[in-house]
Amino acid sequence: MASMLLSRQLTCCLQQNSRLLVFGHRYISQAAAKIDVDFDYDGPLMKTEVPGPRSRELMKQLNGIQNAEAVHFFCNYEESRGNYLVDVDGNRMLDLYSQISSIPIGYSHPSLIKLLQQPQNLSTFINRPALGILPPENFAERLKESLLSVAPKGLSQVITMACGSCSNENAFKAIFMWYRNKERGHNNVTKEEMESCMINQPPGCPDYAMLSFMGGFHGRTLGCLATTHSKAIHKLDIPSLDWPIAPFPRLKYPLEDFVKENQQEEARCLEEVEDLIVKYRKKKKIVAGIIVEPIQSEGGDNHASDDFFRKLRDIARKHGCAFLVDEVQTGGGCTGKFWAHEHWGLDDPADVVTFSKKMMTGGFFHKEEFRPNAPYRIFNTWLGDPSKNLMLAEVIKVIKREDLLNNATHAGKALLTGLLDLQARYPHLISRVRGRGTFCSFDTPNDATRNKLITIARNKGVVLGGCGDRSIRFRPTLIFKDHHAHLFLNIFSDILANFK
């Protein structure tokens, strides 16, 4: 009875919040005019500067409770829809940042609202289990419907987590345990290992390391922070680990004009990777794994060629290191393939692939040999959230039904072409335009110019994100289409023309 009552209340609430309103049309150009009238808004609508008075008031309140200096503005998620984010002052903005690349199919998607309205799903959202010890009856089935239906090639095992940081942190642990088991062979764990690990000493705590790249970002927990090298503020005052850091290629653009130089740059970085593995081995510190992003995101949207990653995978295999691909930001379809590393054409799949953001849940896929050999070795209270797997299964259905991977390729081409045109017209403001799918970016002359452009764009009704020292990145949803790209390009063209 209580379940039925809760179900009716939830359905009523969701129906109220999912009212489909059609607002006045504001077309910027014919190319930008196409709209999804039953889901998306037709364009930005600005009432105040951003942050507006209500946002500033709320910032003051929140700052009295915690440091809220990172807050951009407060949002009205009930009114946000499709590609448009609405703030508490009533400003409606085309969101090309999508909650730091974590909204897969837009705000308030009808398919997800319908999912929440179904009474049989109510328990999944209300009763969050400790999945490691008390999973629901349908948990294995839900994993097959969601994560395992899009598992990267060669990876049959998956463990869910709550976020990207804990996904990478636990992936590191899986790699270290795998490596120690290789060394131990068929021998049993010794008494000395059991006792020494309790006081953080070898042999129980072996001196292993993960090799990472300068400019990479893999999270803010202690182990992840040792592999994160994007901004000093992330790492300042935090004790860290002596793990090797290799240079990541700094490619010159346009790529076709610098083929030889970029090949030499990638070869230099790969040589340094091998040198570091050998150097650390001589220091009695074993590089058990290599972690890399397909595109360094937080660090500045730094790309490398597919050949670079194939050769990096070969180096990992040659030296017996696990190869971990961090797809937290690149996974889920934004590059035109479900996993960005699919573009590489690896003969030997990655050993471990981490995910979060657009995947609704965190976690990692891995090969069979990386499976923990005992319970509680990879463990925490929740180990993810079944409701997120349920939502992901629906997201995957939408992606397939609406052909959103091809859409990302098509819309990304429209966006990238337009950015290249703006670069040609405003080379003093835009350089190094680059991208794969809708995962696009460009550089500005400096940090101050970048931040000013982002602020102006926001006040004109477009939400953008920064990354690296001076880059602007685009992280739209998978339902971002050609007409959204043209709408943005028209607005941004005017901004650049009037920029002072």
Side-chain angles (χ1 to χ4, degrees), residues 327 337-346:
E327 290 259 23
K337 292 186 181 292
F338 204 92
W339 303 106
H341 76 271
E342 292 180 68
H343 290 283
W344 304 342
L346 295 178

Side-chain angles (χ1 to χ4, degrees), residues 208-458:
Y208 295 157
M210 292 293 301
L211 183 146
S212 55
F213 289 87
M214 188 58 68
F217 182 91
H218 303 289
R220 300 171 190 264
T221 52
L222 207 59
C224 292
L225 209 53
T227 62
T228 288
H229 320 285
S230 51
K231 290 185 177 72
I233 196 65
H234 299 154
K235 297 171 68 73
L236 185 66
D237 300 331
I238 312 299
S240 197
L241 301 159
D242 178 21
W243 288 359
I245 308 162
F248 193 82
R250 178 71 174 177
L251 300 184
K252 294 182 178 181
Y253 292 83
L255 294 176
E256 58 272 18
D257 293 349
F258 296 98
V259 174
K260 184 177 180 181
E261 291 89 340
N262 288 337
Q263 287 175 345
Q264 291 173 341
E265 170 68 356
E266 292 189 341
R268 177 187 72 85
C269 294
L270 290 168
E271 183 179 0
E272 183 67 16
V273 169
E274 287 214 75
D275 288 347
L276 283 166
I277 293 171
V278 173
K279 176 184 174 183
Y280 270 71
R281 188 176 293 139
K282 289 178 180 177
K283 292 169 54 176
K284 307 297 183 183
K285 188 183 289 283
I286 301 297
V287 176
I290 297 172
I291 183 168
V292 70
E293 299 163 90
I295 302 168
Q296 285 190 333
S297 306
E298 184 69 27
D301 266 31
N302 304 314
H303 293 244
S305 71
D306 296 339
D307 185 61
F308 170 84
F309 291 105
R310 287 192 291 266
K311 288 176 178 174
L312 182 63
R313 206 281 168 261
D314 291 341
I315 289 171
R317 187 189 310 106
K318 173 183 173 182
H319 291 277
C321 309
F323 189 54
L324 193 171
V325 180
D326 179 347
E327 290 259 23
V328 167
Q329 191 156 157
T330 53
C334 49
T335 67
K337 292 186 181 292
F338 204 92
W339 303 106
H341 76 271
E342 292 180 68
H343 290 283
W344 304 342
L346 295 178
D347 293 328
D348 182 11
D351 296 308
V352 183
V353 174
T354 53
F355 57 85
S356 190
K357 291 191 181 282
K358 279 187 171 63
M359 298 299 290
M360 313 298 285
T361 181
F364 60 98
F365 297 99
H366 59 89
K367 290 180 177 176
E368 184 86 24
E369 56 262 39
F370 290 80
R371 183 185 176 107
N373 61 358
Y376 298 104
R377 301 206 74 189
I378 301 292
F379 193 86
N380 57 51
T381 298
W382 280 326
L383 286 173
D385 183 341
S387 69
K388 302 303 182 185
N389 299 332
L390 181 65
M391 293 173 73
L392 175 61
E394 189 63 30
V395 166
I396 292 168
K397 289 178 186 176
V398 172
I399 290 172
K400 292 178 178 178
R401 183 173 69 241
E402 300 183 11
D403 198 19
L404 294 183
L405 297 184
N406 280 330
N407 178 71
T409 300
H410 202 272
K413 184 177 180 181
L415 178 59
L416 193 65
T417 300
L419 290 173
L420 287 168
D421 177 63
L422 292 177
Q423 177 179 260
R425 290 159 55 196
Y426 304 101
H428 60 295
L429 293 174
I430 293 183
S431 63
R432 301 183 75 241
V433 168
R434 53 204 183 273
R436 195 160 225 172
T438 58
F439 208 95
C440 297
S441 58
F442 62 83
D443 284 2
T444 63
N446 50 56
D447 177 59
T449 301
R450 184 261 305 276
N451 294 343
K452 187 175 179 181
L453 284 170
I454 289 174
T455 300
I456 295 172
R458 192 167 62 197

